[in-house]
Amino acid sequence: MGGSCTQRRPASRRQVLLPFLLPLLYPALCEQIRYSIPEELAKGSVVGTLAKDLGLGVRDVSARKLRVSAEKLLFSVDAESGDLLVKDRIDREQICKERRRCELQLEAVVENPLNIFDIVVVIEDINDHAPQFHKNETHLEFIESVSPGTRTILESAKDPDISLNSLSKYQLSPNEYFSLVVKDDPDGSKYPELVLKTTLDRETQSAHHLVLTAVDGGDPPRSGTTQIRILVVDANDNPPVFTQDVYKVRLPEDVPPGTFVLKVSATDLDEGVNAEITYSFLGVGDTSKYEFSLDSATGNIITHQALDYEDVERYTIDVEAKDRGSLSTQCKVIIEVLDENDNSPEIIITSLSDQILEDSHPGMVVALFKTRDRDSRENGEVTCNLSGDVPFKIHSSSKKYYKLVTDGTLDREQIPEYNVTITATDRGKPPLSSSTTITLHIADVNDNAPVFQQASYEVHVAENNPPGASIAQVSARDPDLGPNGHVSYSIVAGDLEPRALASYVSVSAQSGVVFAQRAFDHEQLRALELTLQARDHGSPALRANVSLRVLVGDRNDNAPRVLYPALGPDGSALFDTVPRAAQPGYLVTKVVAVDADAGHNAWLSYHVLQASEPGLFSLGLRTGEVRTARALGERDAARQRLLVAVRDGGQPPLSATATLLLVFADSLQEALPDLGDAPPPSDPQAELQLYLVVALALISVLFLVAVILAVALRLRRSSSPSAGGCFGSALCCKSGPEIPPIYIEGTLPYAYNLCVPGNQTNPEFNFLTSAEHCPATQDILNKDSSAGLLASILTPSVEADKNIFKQQAPPNTDWRFSQAQRPGTSGSQNGDETGTWPNNQFDTEMLQAMILASASEAADGSSTLGGGAGTMGLSARYGPQFTLQHVPDYRQNVYVPGSNATLTNAAAKRDARAPAGGNGNKKKSGKKEKK
């Protein structure tokens, strides 16, 4: 920072350097700010307006934490006004000792931004010390023969004050023999000499008593006295004389004790005892007295203690030479101490940041320190550097002040703290150095997002799990500290809508454990895709996502469901007709079953539990096809009953049963007498009345519906043909709109659309009779049974002709199957009943094709669907015309062992042999046998 400062001298004798530019705007300091105060100033006295001189406002004093620092803190800063105050007693003589210029070095420290200013406080002397003689009484001897004008140097008084307050003059008490002469020393001090004015006469007066007074120049002046006692003796009229008035010598400070310094020498013109000279220190100060010694006989001066240039730079000693006749003379010995590089530099940390943010930019100040070397010149010039590879550097702020600033990228996660070693080295020969280590702690910032331990998670959960069980755990790591590294988990997305998703799974925000909120059902949900998020608590928060796939495993919790044979609308078992001429291997019917489970749990097998004639029929283990095992004999009953069990491949296996009623007859009319052997009801009259009441109600309702439908049909006859149809004159049906039932239990939804004639004499049988009108809607029986589910696909579509039974024209035979190609939910195959694991899964199109083929056969007058060879036993009076809207997809969970049936456009023919007149129909059993 470049700047200029000017001096001003206020009325209170303070010298202040005011900066024209604020130090906040520059990296370097202004020139020194100087104040001048008298010593012994009272505590709390104002030294100077420091804040004002630094260009700071009153508010900046506390905001920027203005303070001063020094080795010995004698001053403080007023927190309100910013003035520099006296904190402790200031004694110039104690602080600066013998130095004539007394200056105290201070540092003013401000923060935000951090900076330091040099302050010099000049301590001015006050007259607080009186001159003082080393001895209170001095004894002198004068030979009476001494001529007037003889001079004797007296002991000088010492006054620690300087300038005007120092010793100014000497005064001698009035007498007629002696006078006083004051002389100046080369160092500027004064010393007195006693001058003999007249000849002494020992016989007249043998002793003289004088008072020597030393007076300083203070206002008011202060003084000190010493007694001079003069003894008059006989003749020794030649005093000793030194070879030099002033001896000077230079001495290195590192000389050991006992080192020879110099030799003083004096001669005496007298002879004998009066010529014997002794040497002594005269008026030696406290410091010199201990550091040097003088040989009284030889005049050799040697060092008594180690010297220190930093304490005393020069010694001035008075040496007296005195003969045996009490005549003496003095000389000055000046010893200059030469500086040696004997002091290592010192490093003083003045300010240190507690913590450093890891995202700090390069150049941020983290510490302030200064150096000090008590040596002088090159021995006191210091340079600083850092040890090791650290992202910091030293920037010189002023002559002795330095800033430690950042010089690179910091990352707390890699290095949380630095031990920075600062080394200071002087320019002496050899150079001396010292070092100090400071610890810098790196503070954390939220610069790391959570990281999951896996890129994605996949977990397998068996269905029917207990609600609330833990199914998985995700874990993310965040290397930051405190809230920046505290991770919480949540579910942010899934392949279900949020409300439904929350009912399936939840996650613990603290541990990342995923819980199942409900029992899973493989038949409803086979896989669940989740997106989990890990979010830390930093500001701003950082987050990461991971995918979790939950695969629901299947358990054998669904029993097989028999679709065919089904029960009739009234709960009675349906029957199938078999031609009497059926040969061995003739396909009588087929048991159709499905299992909502998957895999091995849906692998179905068929077993005969009971049979009226064992050995007459065979059952395909995997296909469910019922075939004749031999030709019908004379002794075989015309009615046969088979009880079939369907088992899945689960452990333990689940099963269902189906009852097959088979009637050997060549036509429906032939089979009807066989069904009349049932025992009469216990109360036929009551049952007949019930049927009549129901029939009357149905006729009334159907008549009203027929009228409405007739009007509607006449209105639309011009644009579209009649959609109604009658199965001959005996039965007329029309299917109305239905709402598809919801498939939950793993079964196919079916519903019958059945027309029942109203005039029957025998309530046990429904005969085909002619009807005058075809009602728009007759009884629609929707059952939950397998018969009801299958019948919902069979919708009548025949045209009505009054009083005439017309056979419906055969449908397009491109969709018909051969006997070997008949599809089924359990599969159709040629002779494969070994029970091996299937090679291909069940296909929805196969089930649809099977039902469509059966419908085509029912509509064909020569087909076998109505009871002919290879029929499924569906009665033609139900008018089968299939719709596939309610057929569920079992491709995922049903296996068709070895099936090779395909849907083809070729008009294939059935390979089974149909008997003559094979127009058998399915009828309800009069015995109402239940499954």
Side-chain angles (χ1 to χ4, degrees):
M1 172 178 67
S4 62
C5 295
T6 59
Q7 288 188 350
R8 63 183 178 89
R9 292 182 177 271
S12 60
R13 296 189 300 169
R14 292 177 297 173
Q15 298 177 355
V16 181
L17 292 172
L18 286 178
F20 286 106
L21 299 177
L22 294 178
L24 300 177
L25 304 177
Y26 304 95
L29 298 178
C30 186
E31 294 181 8
Q32 293 177 342
I33 298 176
R34 302 178 66 87
Y35 297 102
S36 179
I37 61 170
E39 66 175 329
E40 301 295 345
L41 201 61
K43 295 181 181 179
S45 299
V46 176
V47 177
T49 56
L50 179 60
K52 181 179 179 182
D53 296 335
L54 292 177
L56 302 177
V58 177
R59 295 182 178 178
D60 294 333
V61 175
S62 58
R64 299 191 62 188
K65 299 181 180 178
L66 176 62
R67 62 185 185 276
V68 294
S69 64
E71 296 180 20
K72 183 177 181 182
L73 199 57
L74 301 175
F75 304 92
S76 63
V77 177
D78 189 291
E80 296 181 359
S81 63
D83 293 339
L84 185 64
L85 306 179
V86 176
K87 184 179 180 181
D88 201 356
R89 177 176 178 265
I90 301 175
D91 187 353
R92 191 199 68 82
E93 289 74 20
Q94 181 181 1
I95 295 174
C96 297
K97 299 181 180 178
E98 297 181 0
R99 296 179 184 176
R100 299 188 62 82
R101 188 172 185 83
C102 185
E103 295 179 350
L104 296 182
Q105 301 289 335
L106 305 179
E107 295 89 39
V109 181
V110 292
E111 298 181 1
N112 302 320
L114 201 58
N115 219 329
I116 293 181
F117 304 87
D118 284 340
I119 300 174
V120 177
V121 180
V122 179
I123 308 301
E124 297 180 352
D125 181 55
I126 63 172
N127 193 20
D128 58 341
H129 293 87
Q132 188 175 6
F133 292 92
H134 183 66
K135 297 178 181 178
N136 293 329
E137 188 174 310
T138 301
H139 296 272
L140 299 175
E141 293 182 353
F142 278 82
I143 300 175
E144 60 179 352
S145 60
V146 173
S147 60
T150 301
R151 297 185 178 189
T152 299
I153 298 176
L154 300 178
E155 177 187 2
S156 300
K158 300 297 182 181
D159 191 343
D161 297 328
I162 61 174
S163 300
L164 297 176
N165 297 323
S166 65
L167 182 63
S168 175
K169 59 184 179 179
Y170 291 92
Q171 296 175 354
L172 189 63
S173 58
N175 65 92
E176 59 179 315
Y177 294 99
F178 297 94
S179 63
L180 190 64
V181 176
V182 179
K183 290 188 176 183
D184 296 328
D185 276 337
D187 59 353
S189 62
K190 299 179 182 297
Y191 64 92
E193 285 186 353
L194 188 64
V195 180
L196 181 63
K197 293 191 299 182
T198 62
T199 303
L200 297 176
D201 188 0
R202 187 186 65 81
E203 288 74 25
T204 304
Q205 187 176 353
S206 59
H208 299 271
H209 298 278
L210 304 175
V211 176
L212 179 62
T213 302
V215 182
D216 61 22
D219 185 16
R222 306 186 69 171
S223 63
T225 61
T226 183
Q227 301 290 327
I228 299 176
R229 300 184 181 275
I230 300 174
L231 181 63
V232 180
V233 295
D234 285 339
N236 181 19
D237 52 355
N238 291 293
V241 177
F242 281 101
T243 58
Q244 295 178 220
D245 291 336
V246 178
Y247 292 85
K248 291 183 178 181
V249 66
R250 292 184 175 184
L251 192 65
E253 64 173 332
D254 59 351
V255 296
T259 300
F260 173 78
V261 178
L262 60 86
K263 178 179 181 179
V264 294
S265 177
T267 59
D268 195 326
L269 297 177
D270 293 328
E271 292 182 354
V273 176
N274 293 328
E276 295 179 1
I277 301 173
T278 58
Y279 301 94
S280 63
F281 287 135
L282 181 63
V284 178
D286 294 337
T287 303
S288 303
K289 178 172 59 178
Y290 295 108
E291 277 144 1
F292 301 96
S293 62
L294 175 63
D295 189 330
S296 60
T298 62
N300 292 334
I301 300 176
I302 61 174
T303 59
H304 189 260
Q305 289 183 352
L307 305 180
D308 192 351
Y309 171 84
E310 288 69 38
D311 289 341
V312 180
E313 300 178 5
R314 186 177 69 171
Y315 296 91
T316 301
I317 305 173
D318 292 330
V319 178
E320 181 185 51
K322 190 175 184 180
D323 60 18
R324 290 295 181 95
S326 298
L327 295 179
S328 62
T329 187
Q330 293 87 26
C331 70
K332 293 285 185 181
V333 176
I334 299 175
I335 303 173
E336 293 184 2
V337 181
L338 301 179
D339 181 49
E340 296 292 331
N341 191 25
D342 59 343
N343 290 280
S344 298
E346 298 180 50
I347 299 174
I348 302 171
I349 305 298
T350 59
S351 180
L352 180 64
S353 298
D354 294 336
Q355 288 186 335
I356 307 166
L357 294 178
E358 59 179 322
D359 60 351
S360 300
H361 298 292
M364 192 193 81
V365 179
V366 298
L368 284 176
F369 64 94
K370 68 177 182 179
T371 60
R372 182 180 62 185
D373 195 323
R374 298 180 63 190
D375 296 324
S376 62
R377 300 182 183 89
E378 292 184 353
N379 297 331
E381 296 179 5
V382 179
T383 58
C384 294
N385 55 71
L386 298 178
S387 301
D389 185 14
V390 292
F392 302 96
K393 68 178 180 180
I394 295 176
H395 175 71
S396 178
S397 179
S398 65
K399 185 176 181 180
K400 294 184 179 180
Y401 288 89
Y402 302 88
K403 294 179 181 179
L404 182 64
V405 299
T406 56
D407 187 36
T409 302
L410 304 178
D411 190 351
R412 188 209 62 81
E413 287 70 38
Q414 293 185 3
I415 304 178
E417 66 179 22
Y418 290 90
N419 292 321
V420 179
T421 301
I422 303 172
T423 303
T425 306
D426 60 26
R427 297 179 61 187
K429 295 182 180 180
L432 299 179
S433 64
S434 64
S435 61
T436 183
T437 301
I438 58 176
T439 300
L440 301 177
H441 299 278
I442 308 303
D444 182 60
V445 296
N446 192 24
D447 58 346
N448 289 278
V451 177
F452 282 95
Q453 294 182 354
Q454 297 180 212
S456 62
Y457 292 83
E458 183 175 286
V459 61
H460 295 265
V461 181
E463 65 175 334
N464 302 327
N465 56 287
S470 62
I471 60 175
Q473 183 174 13
V474 296
S475 178
R477 179 181 175 273
D478 194 322
D480 293 324
L481 285 181
N484 295 333
H486 182 66
V487 179
S488 60
Y489 304 89
S490 62
I491 300 176
V492 296
D495 53 3
L496 299 177
E497 61 138 4
R499 185 174 300 177
L501 183 63
S503 67
Y504 275 91
V505 291
S506 65
V507 63
S508 172
Q510 288 74 28
S511 63
V513 176
V514 181
F515 297 94
Q517 297 295 99
R518 60 190 294 180
F520 295 153
D521 188 353
H522 175 80
E523 289 70 43
Q524 293 185 359
L525 182 69
R526 301 191 177 187
L528 182 60
E529 296 285 346
L530 304 176
T531 299
L532 301 177
Q533 184 178 93
R535 176 179 179 273
D536 59 30
H537 290 188
S539 179
L542 301 179
R543 52 184 61 85
N545 294 344
V546 71
S547 63
L548 171 63
R549 188 180 186 194
V550 180
L551 301 177
V552 181
D554 182 57
R555 287 182 176 175
N556 192 26
D557 57 345
N558 290 279
R561 174 59 61 92
V562 177
L563 300 182
Y564 183 83
L567 297 179
D570 56 355
S572 62
L574 303 180
F575 66 91
D576 289 284
T577 61
V578 182
R580 295 184 180 273
Q583 296 299 319
Y586 173 77
L587 178 62
V588 178
T589 186
K590 182 176 182 179
V591 179
V592 180
V594 294
D595 195 317
D597 293 322
H600 198 277
N601 296 329
W603 188 23
L604 302 182
S605 62
Y606 301 85
H607 308 272
V608 177
L609 296 182
Q610 293 180 0
S612 301
E613 291 288 341
L616 183 57
F617 299 98
S618 64
L619 179 64
L621 177 65
R622 298 298 177 191
T623 64
E625 294 179 349
V626 178
R627 296 178 182 269
T628 56
R630 59 178 175 83
L632 179 66
E634 295 293 338
R635 303 181 60 180
D636 293 330
R639 297 178 59 190
Q640 298 290 331
R641 179 178 180 274
L642 290 179
L643 181 61
V644 177
V646 184
R647 297 192 184 97
D648 58 24
Q651 291 296 331
L654 301 179
S655 63
T657 59
T659 301
L660 298 176
L661 299 180
L662 306 177
V663 177
F664 287 94
D666 292 331
S667 65
L668 179 63
Q669 291 76 12
E670 183 182 352
L672 291 178
D674 293 334
L675 302 176
D677 298 335
S682 59
D683 191 359
Q685 186 65 28
E687 189 172 349
L688 179 60
Q689 292 178 357
L690 176 62
Y691 277 103
L692 291 176
V693 173
V694 173
L696 182 60
L698 291 175
I699 291 173
S700 300
V701 174
L702 294 176
F703 176 75
L704 180 60
V705 173
V707 172
I708 297 173
L709 183 60
V711 175
L713 291 176
R714 285 184 178 277
L715 294 177
R716 287 197 283 175
R717 180 173 298 176
S718 59
S719 60
S720 62
S722 174
C726 297
F727 238 127
S729 61
L731 183 64
C732 182
C733 303
K734 185 173 183 66
S735 60
E738 296 183 16
I739 300 176
I742 299 175
Y743 178 74
I744 298 177
E745 300 297 331
T747 62
L748 291 170
Y750 297 95
Y752 281 106
N753 296 327
L754 179 63
C755 297
V756 182
N759 185 14
Q760 297 292 338
T761 58
N762 190 349
E764 295 182 4
F765 300 97
N766 294 326
F767 295 97
L768 301 175
T769 60
S770 62
E772 285 292 326
H773 301 283
C774 180
T777 304
Q778 289 186 344
D779 292 346
I780 299 175
L781 305 177
N782 295 322
K783 299 293 183 178
D784 293 333
S785 64
S786 299
L789 295 175
L790 183 63
S792 66
I793 306 177
L794 309 178
T795 306
S797 177
V798 294
E799 295 183 358
D801 190 3
K802 189 173 182 179
N803 298 326
I804 299 175
F805 180 83
K806 292 184 178 182
Q807 182 68 32
Q808 182 182 3
N812 186 0
T813 59
D814 291 346
W815 292 93
R816 298 180 59 185
F817 290 82
S818 65
Q819 185 68 27
Q821 293 173 328
R822 183 183 301 276
T825 56
S826 300
S828 299
Q829 59 192 24
N830 297 327
D832 184 10
E833 297 184 2
T834 60
T836 60
W837 185 260
N839 295 324
N840 57 332
Q841 293 185 344
F842 183 84
D843 195 293
T844 300
E845 287 78 2
M846 295 178 64
L847 178 60
Q848 294 174 351
M850 179 271 294
I851 299 173
L852 183 60
S854 300
S856 299
E857 294 174 10
D860 192 352
S862 62
S863 69
T864 60
L865 182 62
T871 169
M872 292 178 61
L874 301 177
S875 176
R877 67 187 178 92
Y878 297 134
Q881 182 174 349
F882 290 92
T883 59
L884 305 180
Q885 60 180 346
H886 300 146
V887 180
D889 188 356
Y890 283 92
R891 288 175 292 179
Q892 301 294 330
N893 60 350
V894 179
Y895 288 88
V896 183
S899 176
N900 57 1
T902 58
L903 189 60
T904 176
N905 291 331
K909 301 297 182 179
R910 299 181 180 274
D911 58 354
R913 292 187 297 273
N919 290 327
N921 292 335
K922 181 182 297 182
K923 291 295 292 182
K924 294 187 296 181
S925 172
K927 298 180 181 180
K928 299 183 180 180
E929 295 183 36
K930 304 294 183 178
K931 181 171 67 174

